[in-house]
Amino acid sequence: MARIWAGTDIGKTHHHCVALDSEGNRLLSRRVLNDEPELLALLADVLALDEDVVWAVDVADGMAALWINILPATSPAASTSASAPKASGTPRRSSPWPGGG
């Protein structure tokens, strides 16, 4: 089981990431610009907590493109709302990730 779960709420100009440990304790909560240097710094800060991270984002479209392209290069366990069912019960859609996400 992963030691850290990191979810990102995607916005047009900013994203908000929350990282939780396996007990549900909040380890990090940060709002960052949708900007490569800021996203890379966020990634480094989460990975500094632990390298065993499952990543998730709430959308898999244009607003998340930069973040989605950064994550697979660093974490094979990255997923999007397209591959993980939402808490609201929204039906699962097909995954944009090779092998189903």
Side-chain angles (χ1 to χ4, degrees), residues 4-99:
I4 295 180
W5 300 82
T8 308
D9 179 42
I10 303 298
K12 288 182 183 178
T13 59
H14 291 82
H15 304 328
H16 184 224
C17 180
V18 174
L20 305 173
D21 66 15
S22 60
E23 306 279 317
N25 299 307
R26 185 171 43 191
L27 304 174
L28 177 139
S29 179
R30 184 176 309 156
R31 183 177 186 243
V32 296
L33 282 171
N34 186 13
D35 173 71
E36 188 171 6
E38 287 209 26
L39 292 170
L40 289 171
L42 171 65
L43 176 69
D45 290 346
V46 172
L47 292 175
L49 297 168
D50 197 306
E51 292 188 7
D52 189 6
V53 181
V54 172
W55 296 90
V57 296
D58 66 338
V59 297
D61 64 12
M63 294 187 302
L66 180 58
W67 191 223
I68 288 171
N69 284 311
I70 290 170
L71 288 178
T74 61
S75 176
S79 69
T80 68
S81 63
S83 63
K86 295 180 182 178
S88 66
T90 302
R92 186 183 295 231
R93 299 176 300 209
S94 62
S95 173
W97 302 106

